[in-house]
Amino acid sequence: MNVLKFGGTSVGTVESLKNVRSIVETLPPDTVVVVSALGGLTDKLIATAHLAANGGDWKSEADAIAQRHYDIINKLVREENKTNVLTIVDSLLEELRRTYEGVSLIGHLPEKTLNVIVSLGERMSAPIVAGIIQNGHLHNSLDFIKTEKWFDKNIADVSLTHNLILHEFSNIQEGPHITGGFISQDRDSGEITNLGRGGSDYTAALIAAALDADMLDIWTDVDGFMTADPRIIKDAKVLPEMSFIESMELCSFGAKVIYPPTIYPVFHKSIPIRILNTFNPKAPGTFISDSSNSNDYPIKGVTAIKNTCLVKLKGCLTENVAQINTRAYNALARNGISVFLLAQPGENHEFSFAISSSDLSNATRVLNEEFAPELIDGALDSISFEENLSTIAVVGEGIKHLKGINGRILNTLLRNGIRPLASSEGTSDTTVSFVVEEKDTVESIKAIHGLFF
Ligand code: ADP
Ligand code: ASP
Ligand code: MG
């Protein structure tokens, strides 16, 4: 059996939903379909929540949200399902209005309330899509996607979720089976949580892995995984195939096409992923599996993460750089902060690594605690941070065979007037990365893409 996931643009309009319907209705009845909220709705729900908290006119926004859903229901939901779907969506819209009203009254938007508000996108889209598809069976993902607290984040409780998915989808016969992505429930408090922005991909992967699916199909709005973000590089090429590792690296370095945690559960079970276009279903898409034909494309793509922050440790570190490196890395990891680039030690006894700016205040606290003795006795002069940066990554399993690749990239950037502030230590098997100023992100991607493609 296959698990399919349709993103926001795929379920955003009457026209795109007709494509979804014709794709899904030809598939066997044990197919599981994961859907996102209507395109752009999650952003709208969040913006309206802030508007309500700031005393703005949330009511007309809520009316527009309601109208968008009613239009689709009236035009596409099958006659026999209309009453049922309208009952569900009416009550969810009522919940949305009540919640906005509450936010507006207290003039404040607690995180838990925002989680409830954003969940309504997928809680409405799933019954609508189920109502559009012949024999569509609705499953409530809050019943089986469970999270636990991990520092300040909610992360999937993978083993509990695995068991609940098996239970939910055991003995499924008639179908297809439709469920909402992204949304989840805290396993202890029962509160509504979510898997993070873009998290519907991850819901689909958790289901595919638990059910030992043959394939995970991610249906989106581009012809496949491309050599760069097509919004930045107009002539970016569609890659026919790539390996799990390559897709994991590209996505964790910012390629938005798949939400990064998605790949691990299916990789672990060797379930291939296809990236397919809802608006061009005949296109072959990209096939992601254990192996990839790196001869065609030794390098698969160039990508960037904005909001990078460079942490710099300065002092007489020549003797024990490795030890300091490891301690810093471990202290951050123990506190849920990931490091995405360890820089080559620079001059002036300084070494640095890149983290996300959103982790900056936590990282400051953690590192000052970890290195308090060294800061006092002078072994370390200072811990400082540089913000407004981007990490640019070049990814491909063929990279290890390309001699002097760091130098070629560096020269290309310099020729384009871009000065990298740090580069990754050595060359990993698949990825070379550089830190540049955030304002140079697009130019850097263009220059490097031009070099390789
Ligand atoms: P969905 O709503 O279907 O989940 P997303 O917007 O999350 O879609 O992801 C698809 C988008 O990812 C594309 O429209 C494209 O703009 C962007 N993107 C970024 N990098 C890449 C890449 N390397 N290949 C393809 N698409 C990319
Ligand atoms: N609707 C959610 C978002 O916009 C989840 C998703 O689309 O994957 O982030
Ligand atoms: Mg997405």
Side-chain angles (χ1 to χ4, degrees):
M1 54 84 61
N2 289 3
V3 175
L4 280 64
K5 176 262 172 176
F6 289 92
T9 40
S10 303
V11 298
T13 63
V14 169
E15 284 319 304
S16 64
L17 278 161
K18 284 183 184 165
N19 293 358
V20 172
R21 181 175 62 191
S22 59
I23 292 163
V24 172
E25 283 186 350
T26 59
L27 297 171
D30 60 355
T31 302
V32 177
V33 177
V34 176
V35 294
S36 294
L38 307 195
L41 192 81
T42 309
D43 287 337
K44 184 58 127 186
L45 289 169
I46 295 170
T48 307
H50 288 292
L51 186 70
N54 295 324
D57 173 22
W58 60 269
K59 285 186 183 153
S60 52
E61 298 294 333
D63 288 345
I65 291 171
Q67 198 49 51
R68 210 177 145 197
H69 288 82
Y70 288 137
D71 275 349
I72 291 175
I73 295 172
N74 289 331
K75 293 194 177 120
L76 284 184
V77 168
R78 297 170 66 84
E79 268 324 307
E80 69 268 27
N81 299 330
K82 258 191 189 149
T83 316
N84 188 27
V85 171
L86 275 171
T87 310
I88 298 174
V89 171
D90 276 340
S91 113
L92 293 171
L93 286 167
E94 175 55 30
E95 181 178 342
L96 180 65
R97 290 198 170 93
R98 255 189 293 113
T99 314
Y100 280 149
E101 176 100 69
V103 169
S104 157
L105 285 172
I106 60 170
H108 168 62
L109 180 60
E111 194 195 324
K112 286 175 187 172
T113 311
L114 183 61
N115 283 346
V116 171
I117 291 170
V118 291
S119 76
L120 285 155
E122 274 75 4
R123 285 159 70 200
M124 291 194 282
S125 65
I128 293 175
V129 176
I132 290 172
I133 288 166
Q134 186 173 21
N135 246 331
H137 273 49
L138 179 64
H139 296 256
N140 182 357
S141 37
L142 297 180
D143 291 343
F144 52 87
I145 305 289
K146 302 290 174 180
T147 58
E148 58 183 305
K149 277 265 168 240
W150 189 67
F151 300 97
D152 55 348
K153 304 178 175 92
N154 298 304
I155 59 160
D157 178 339
V158 175
S159 83
L160 175 61
T161 297
H162 174 99
N163 292 335
L164 292 171
I165 291 170
L166 284 180
H167 180 258
E168 177 77 21
F169 294 93
S170 62
N171 299 320
I172 52 170
Q173 284 146 8
E174 291 294 279
H177 299 266
I178 287 95
T179 195
F182 172 64
I183 56 175
S184 49
Q185 193 180 39
D186 184 274
R187 64 164 190 210
D188 301 310
S189 66
E191 278 158 9
I192 290 182
T193 55
N194 60 64
L195 302 177
R197 293 305 305 274
S200 296
D201 299 335
Y202 187 31
T203 307
L206 291 168
I207 297 175
L211 300 181
D212 273 321
D214 298 308
M215 189 84 74
L216 169 60
D217 285 342
I218 307 271
W219 288 88
T220 182
D221 59 356
V222 283
D223 276 348
F225 216 121
M226 296 177 164
T227 51
D229 186 340
R231 289 167 300 187
I232 296 177
I233 304 288
K234 296 288 169 249
D235 60 350
K237 293 172 177 56
V238 176
L239 297 153
E241 54 183 10
M242 62 170 63
S243 70
F244 285 122
I245 303 287
E246 288 170 328
S247 64
M248 215 178 297
E249 290 280 297
L250 281 167
C251 293
S252 46
F253 279 104
K256 197 193 167 207
V257 62
I258 311 177
Y259 182 53
T262 306
I263 298 152
Y264 187 73
V266 286
F267 169 45
H268 195 59
K269 291 240 173 149
S270 290
I271 300 169
I273 306 175
R274 283 188 300 193
I275 308 295
L276 297 162
N277 190 349
T278 307
F279 303 89
N280 184 15
K282 293 220 167 71
T286 302
F287 187 75
I288 303 172
S289 67
D290 282 322
S291 61
S292 92
N293 184 353
S294 3
N295 294 333
D296 286 353
Y297 282 104
I299 289 179
K300 294 298 194 296
V302 187
T303 179
I305 325 183
K306 289 188 178 172
N307 302 317
T308 292
C309 167
L310 210 53
V311 181
K312 297 178 179 177
L313 303 192
K314 211 170 174 182
C316 282
L317 302 168
T318 8
E319 293 300 312
N320 53 4
V321 164
Q323 194 205 349
I324 298 266
N325 246 337
T326 314
R327 271 175 62 198
Y329 197 84
N330 287 342
L332 293 169
R334 278 198 306 276
N335 287 275
I337 301 165
S338 43
V339 172
F340 39 75
L341 176 149
L342 210 52
Q344 275 165 351
E347 61 275 10
N348 307 331
H349 302 303
E350 179 181 285
F351 82 87
S352 46
F353 43 88
I355 58 170
S356 164
S357 301
S358 59
D359 288 325
L360 177 56
S361 68
N362 265 344
T364 312
R365 178 185 53 76
V366 167
L367 292 173
N368 277 296
E369 276 167 23
E370 175 68 29
F371 292 110
E374 285 82 359
L375 286 165
I376 291 168
D377 72 17
L380 257 187
D381 293 340
S382 65
I383 302 176
S384 62
F385 302 89
E386 194 172 341
E387 287 189 87
N388 301 320
L389 308 174
S390 280
T391 306
I392 310 287
V394 182
V395 176
E397 297 215 21
I399 252 176
K400 47 185 173 275
H401 307 300
L402 298 178
K403 291 222 166 59
I405 183 167
N406 280 38
R408 282 170 68 198
I409 298 174
L410 188 64
N411 284 337
T412 303
L413 291 174
L414 291 172
R415 257 203 321 275
N416 283 274
I418 301 159
R419 192 177 57 89
L421 304 165
S423 65
S424 49
E425 188 173 278
T427 304
S428 95
D429 265 4
T430 47
T431 304
V432 175
S433 48
F434 289 85
V435 174
V436 300
E437 286 187 41
E438 199 169 286
K439 67 173 175 50
D440 293 329
T441 311
V442 169
E443 279 314 309
S444 303
I445 292 177
K446 284 185 176 163
I448 299 173
H449 193 269
L451 175 67
F452 293 113
F453 301 102

